Amino acid sequence: MSRKDFVDLLRFLLRVALLFWQTVVASVMLAVLIYAPIVLIRWIWSMAAGV
């Protein structure tokens, strides 16, 4: 296994890792965007109700 092959493999693994992290971050952001308004509205309602 030559040095070039090793570097190519590292680059490929790095790209896969970055893609994986982008997917994870995108999923978390989407979940936050969906849940945040619901949680916020419920919190405001509870504050308004004086609980």
Side-chain angles (χ1 to χ4, degrees):
M1 189 171 176
S2 70
R3 185 181 161 82
K4 187 187 175 298
D5 288 339
F6 184 67
V7 170
D8 285 343
L9 182 65
L10 276 178
R11 272 206 192 130
F12 174 73
L13 288 173
L14 189 67
R15 195 174 296 151
V16 169
L18 281 171
L19 193 68
F20 173 73
W21 275 113
Q22 280 181 342
T23 307
V24 169
V25 169
S27 302
V28 170
M29 292 280 283
L30 193 64
V32 167
L33 282 172
I34 291 166
Y35 286 114
I38 297 167
V39 172
L40 201 63
I41 289 164
R42 288 180 68 176
W43 181 71
I44 290 167
W45 270 111
S46 68
M47 291 291 280
V51 174

